Amino acid sequence: MTARFEIVVIGGGAVGASIQWHLARAGRTDTVLLEKHELTAGSTWHAAGNVPTFSNSWLGQRAGNYAWQVYSELAADPDDPITYRHTTAFWPGHTPERIDHFHHLVAIATGLGLDLEIVSPTEMEAMHPYWSDDGTVIAGLLDPYEGDIDPSGLTQSLARRSRAMGAEVRRHSRVVGIDRLAPGADARWRVHVDKAGETDAIDCDIVVNAAGFYGAEISAMAGIEVPLAVLEHQYLCLLYTS
């Protein structure tokens, strides 16, 4: 059986759930999100959850500041709050080149009406009880908007909100193929989905690839080459005994 949606979002992590939620808020609720396992089962489940707002670009800083404002609103919702902490942060700079970079970031922020600030080592010591200047730090960048978030909780919350607005979320639905339909067809794409060993098809106008480190694999199904490389994180665990 072939289903029909306007938009198919592939990938049930924080990015895919956010895309579907933003579409729903814009009135585009004829969407389905496809996740091959459980929501957040990809890189989202072990994401650090840092929410920095500074960036090397004008667009990046706008996006970072939009994010923390949205997260603050979601965290304040008494019916479906997320775990988000607005903490602020500073970044020490040890070289003149790093300080030049900080001034570049402050200039971008100033143009956007945002508050990044250069602070001295003494000011940083006063802000953080566990940090002390060892004489190697020249100055620091203060980001008053930084915080941290639970990525898994955020994803689940966004998915619930999308469902409440009429969008659909399908778990354990692995995309196994994507075909471009002939001109004049009722839709532009056909997405083939394996669910419990049975394959169904979904016709749609738009396919959104939010598959994370499976993104290149999904793009290849549509005949598109994506220069995506997967990197493995290294973790160091320190054990202290008395």
Side-chain angles (χ1 to χ4, degrees):
M1 184 177 72
T2 302
R4 177 74 167 86
F5 288 90
E6 179 189 7
I7 302 170
V8 170
V9 179
I10 302 174
V15 173
S18 178
I19 290 170
Q20 187 181 44
W21 177 68
H22 278 87
L23 286 168
R25 286 215 304 175
R28 309 287 286 273
T29 57
D30 186 17
T31 70
V32 59
L33 183 148
L34 302 175
E35 164 54 44
K36 67 178 182 176
H37 295 305
E38 293 286 350
L39 297 180
T40 81
S43 57
T44 294
W45 75 266
H46 66 80
N50 296 328
V51 186
T53 66
F54 66 85
S55 169
N56 289 325
S57 69
W58 180 84
L59 182 60
Q61 288 208 26
R62 283 193 64 194
N65 279 273
Y66 170 76
W68 79 261
Q69 292 179 55
V70 169
Y71 298 156
S72 297
E73 293 172 6
L74 296 179
D77 184 347
D79 296 323
D80 188 18
I82 64 171
T83 300
Y84 171 64
R85 299 186 304 171
H86 187 175
T87 59
T88 75
F90 61 76
W91 302 80
H94 296 78
T95 65
E97 292 78 14
R98 183 65 164 163
I99 304 306
D100 286 344
H101 183 224
F102 287 166
H103 282 288
H104 170 67
L105 298 176
V106 170
I108 296 174
T110 301
L112 289 168
L114 306 174
D115 300 317
L116 292 184
E117 181 183 351
I118 304 293
V119 292
S120 69
T122 301
E123 290 174 307
M124 287 187 282
E125 264 194 306
M127 293 175 193
H128 202 305
Y130 301 115
W131 187 87
S132 60
D133 177 26
D134 61 1
T136 66
V137 175
I138 301 172
L141 178 71
L142 176 64
D143 181 355
Y145 310 112
E146 177 142 352
D148 58 81
I149 196 168
D150 168 21
S152 294
L154 170 66
T155 303
Q156 297 289 350
S157 178
L158 293 175
R160 285 193 296 270
R161 294 166 192 271
S162 295
R163 290 190 192 101
M165 288 185 278
E168 188 170 329
V169 175
R170 297 185 183 181
R171 300 171 299 127
H172 304 286
S173 300
R174 178 190 295 270
V175 174
V176 294
I178 302 174
D179 297 330
R180 185 187 294 273
L181 300 180
D186 183 47
R188 296 179 59 192
W189 301 94
R190 177 163 292 167
V191 180
H192 301 276
V193 182
D194 182 294
K195 187 173 180 66
E198 297 185 3
T199 302
D200 291 328
I202 300 174
D203 287 357
C204 63
D205 300 319
I206 299 171
V207 177
V208 178
N209 182 354
F213 48 66
Y214 295 101
E217 180 181 333
I218 295 297
S219 293
M221 295 179 186
I224 301 170
E225 183 178 354
V226 174
L228 177 67
V230 178
L231 300 179
E232 183 178 0
H233 283 279
Q234 298 297 322
Y235 294 92
L236 175 65
C237 180
L238 301 178
L239 300 179
Y240 295 93
T241 59
S242 57

